[in-house]
Amino acid sequence: MRNHDLPALERRTRGKSRFDDDEPQFLKRGRPTEPLADPDSEPDPDTGERWSSWDDAVHGPDPHPAWLVTELAAKDTELGVLKTGKEADVHLVRRAVPDTDRSCLLAVKRYRDPEHRLFHRDAGYLEGRRVRRSRENRAMAGRTAFGRQMIAGQWAAAEFAALARLWEIGAGHDRIAVPYPVQLRGTELMLEFVGDAESGEAAPRLAQLRPDPTELRDLWAQLVEALRVLARAGYAHGDLSPYNLLVHQGRLVVIDLPQVVDVVANPQGPEFLARDVRVVGAWFAARGLPAEQVDPGVLTAELLHEAGLR
């Protein structure tokens, strides 16, 4: 089951900076994001355990959920790989305090080494994101080894910042489900595990399901509301598809947000938003939702209006 009750979301304050990769607000109040050199960070070869990295990381929004283990005496145990990808792998980790019943499951997203990652999509997504130092900007533009490491850090920081922001938003009846962002440490994100806490089985992706007509309509309504909330916050997912939407106990959960796009600051923002709508709309239409309900042009226009662009 999910580890918490999802909070309602509120409209974002207009005019507040949506995106600052150089020094976002959650980093200002958190710890440094670079991993610390720590001989205890290597897992025990016999047990696979390592000390919790909570004390070295940027933390998710306050208040922390009750299920989250934050004790410094906790240990993290690797349980396996949940997902492999071109840019990051997601691992399952149990964080527990030895000799107590305090434990939780976490999904740990680790971005690949810069030499082994594919940055074929960077240019469009990174428009509108700037760091203040010209050396870093030149390195990123030239795709030097240092520049690629900077980009990897931007992916991680962007995803963490977006999840933290979406988690904190809440007013009225606006709702969106995202995993709670537990911590950020360098290019490693620890997130709430969405799935069965007993078996460690992750919630299925939307693409894996064959919902009946009633379920299909309900999931579409949830998705439209999630897109509205994203647009009000100034975001487009940027890579939305049935493969990065989970369905857990009837609830649609939005995941995989490293490429999140600021629809105002990024000149291509409206195009990314329109593509998100087309891709998910086509999936729902192919499974029987009436075409007039998934008209991409109508929904895109509505979302751009919500984002203040029309």
Side-chain angles (χ1 to χ4, degrees), residues 148-169:
R148 286 187 292 173
Q149 183 64 55
M150 286 288 298
I151 293 170
Q154 283 212 10
W155 286 123
E159 181 164 25
F160 196 81
L163 288 170
R165 183 61 187 160
L166 292 170
W167 185 267
E168 290 177 316
I169 295 172

Side-chain angles (χ1 to χ4, degrees), residues 67-142:
W67 56 262
L68 179 60
V69 174
T70 61
E71 290 89 333
L72 299 185
K75 290 189 174 183
D76 295 343
T77 303
E78 299 278 339
L79 300 179
V81 177
L82 292 172
K83 176 193 172 187
T84 60
K86 294 178 180 177
E87 292 155 352
D89 296 328
V90 182
H91 299 252
L92 182 63
V93 168
R94 181 177 297 281
R95 174 168 288 176
V97 180
D99 303 319
T100 75
D101 60 358
R102 288 280 292 155
S103 71
C104 63
L105 286 180
L106 302 173
V108 181
K109 190 169 188 177
R110 295 176 180 138
Y111 282 88
R112 293 182 181 277
D113 181 276
E115 295 301 317
H116 300 99
R117 289 191 54 208
L118 299 180
F119 290 104
H120 59 288
R121 301 176 302 169
D122 286 348
Y125 290 112
L126 294 178
E127 285 193 72
R129 304 187 194 178
R130 295 290 182 267
V131 294
R132 296 192 180 99
R133 292 176 286 277
S134 60
R135 173 174 174 261
E136 279 82 348
N137 277 321
R138 289 195 301 271
M140 288 166 60

Side-chain angles (χ1 to χ4, degrees), residues 79-257:
L79 300 179
V81 177
L82 292 172
K83 176 193 172 187
T84 60
K86 294 178 180 177
E87 292 155 352
D89 296 328
V90 182
H91 299 252
L92 182 63
V93 168
R94 181 177 297 281
R95 174 168 288 176
V97 180
D99 303 319
T100 75
D101 60 358
R102 288 280 292 155
S103 71
C104 63
L105 286 180
L106 302 173
V108 181
K109 190 169 188 177
R110 295 176 180 138
Y111 282 88
R112 293 182 181 277
D113 181 276
E115 295 301 317
H116 300 99
R117 289 191 54 208
L118 299 180
F119 290 104
H120 59 288
R121 301 176 302 169
D122 286 348
Y125 290 112
L126 294 178
E127 285 193 72
R129 304 187 194 178
R130 295 290 182 267
V131 294
R132 296 192 180 99
R133 292 176 286 277
S134 60
R135 173 174 174 261
E136 279 82 348
N137 277 321
R138 289 195 301 271
M140 288 166 60
R143 297 304 192 268
T144 65
F146 172 66
R148 286 187 292 173
Q149 183 64 55
M150 286 288 298
I151 293 170
Q154 283 212 10
W155 286 123
E159 181 164 25
F160 196 81
L163 288 170
R165 183 61 187 160
L166 292 170
W167 185 267
E168 290 177 316
I169 295 172
H173 298 288
D174 291 347
R175 293 177 67 85
I176 186 172
V178 295
Y180 177 77
V182 172
Q183 67 179 59
L184 171 66
R185 190 171 186 258
T187 56
E188 177 186 86
L189 283 80
M190 285 191 167
L191 308 170
E192 173 192 5
F193 170 72
V194 181
D196 189 315
E198 295 299 322
S199 67
E201 182 176 354
R205 297 174 187 275
L206 178 62
Q208 298 172 252
L209 303 181
R210 294 296 180 266
D212 64 35
T214 300
E215 293 169 329
L216 192 70
R217 288 193 297 272
D218 179 62
L219 289 170
W220 175 251
Q222 291 186 53
L223 178 58
V224 170
E225 181 60 21
L227 289 170
R228 287 175 180 147
V229 174
L230 281 165
R232 290 181 200 125
Y235 295 136
H237 184 284
D239 194 28
L240 194 60
S241 81
Y243 292 94
N244 46 38
L245 293 165
L246 302 181
V247 180
H248 185 56
Q249 298 180 343
R251 187 73 170 126
L252 199 70
V253 183
V254 182
I255 62 170
D256 289 341
L257 288 158

Side-chain angles (χ1 to χ4, degrees), residues 4 19-20 37 40 95 105 156 163 219 244 255 264 283 287:
H4 62 87
F19 215 98
D20 184 349
D40 292 328
R95 174 168 288 176
L105 286 180
L163 288 170
L219 289 170
N244 46 38
I255 62 170
V264 176
W283 188 90
R287 276 143 190 84

